Amino acid sequence: MPNVKVLIGFLCLFSGYVAAAPAPAEKDVAQAVDQLTQAMLHLDLKQLHALTSDKLTYGHSSGKVQDKAQFIADLETHTSAFKTLEMQNQTITLNGDTALVRNHFHALAVNSGVEVPTDIDNFQVWQKQKGKWLLIGRQAYKY
């Protein structure tokens, strides 16, 4: 009987651990968000192209909306650049091949040569296409 109690205890402990563990797809989305963040920070054009949909709509907190080419061109020409960039307080909600990501965008941006501390919130839409998570939409807003 004591062995049964120990076994039940371990099963309960393990099932709680499994339930608390993020889903593999959620980890994949979090990794894609991190890869995009690093690509923006370090101006990795290959990664920027690889992680964004050709039909990307990228909205800024100012109301400006860009397509993929415009978004990448602003980074490439240093119209927008970053000395620091991190996504904080991130949540990911999965629905099939779509992931809704909310996070806080904390950065020291450099806009046309001027350093600008930036703290805004983001809503990103990621979609799994041909086995890869791609950013298809982003809207930043002031919190």
Side-chain angles (χ1 to χ4, degrees):
M1 187 66 158
N3 289 341
V4 172
K5 288 181 182 178
V6 170
L7 179 61
I8 291 172
F10 277 117
L11 288 174
C12 289
L13 180 65
F14 180 71
S15 66
Y17 174 75
V18 170
E26 187 176 318
K27 286 182 181 179
D28 292 344
V29 172
Q31 183 178 11
V33 172
D34 185 55
Q35 289 172 341
L36 181 66
T37 302
Q38 293 304 310
M40 291 170 65
L41 177 62
H42 300 293
L43 191 57
D44 184 338
L45 296 174
K46 183 178 178 183
Q47 277 287 76
L48 289 168
H49 282 282
L51 292 165
T52 53
S53 166
D54 289 340
K55 296 181 181 182
L56 174 69
T57 179
Y58 192 92
H60 295 267
S61 62
S62 65
K64 177 177 159 182
V65 177
Q66 297 177 308
D67 63 17
K68 179 178 182 168
Q70 294 164 328
F71 161 65
I72 293 174
D74 268 4
L75 293 167
E76 187 175 16
T77 62
H78 298 283
T79 301
S80 293
F82 301 96
K83 285 196 168 189
T84 64
L85 177 59
E86 61 183 283
M87 302 304 165
Q88 303 171 339
N89 304 323
Q90 184 162 277
T91 62
I92 299 171
T93 304
L94 293 168
N95 186 1
D97 66 353
T98 303
L100 307 177
V101 178
R102 291 185 180 275
N103 52 38
H104 179 77
F105 184 101
H106 177 73
L108 180 56
V110 182
N111 295 334
S112 300
V114 178
E115 289 185 9
V116 181
T118 305
D119 280 288
I120 54 177
D121 283 346
N122 274 330
F123 176 66
Q124 299 176 338
V125 181
W126 291 78
Q127 185 177 59
K128 195 166 193 177
Q129 298 179 7
K130 298 180 183 174
K132 290 179 45 182
W133 287 100
L134 298 180
L135 181 67
I136 63 170
R138 183 258 199 183
Q139 183 59 59
Y141 55 95
K142 297 173 183 170
Y143 67 103

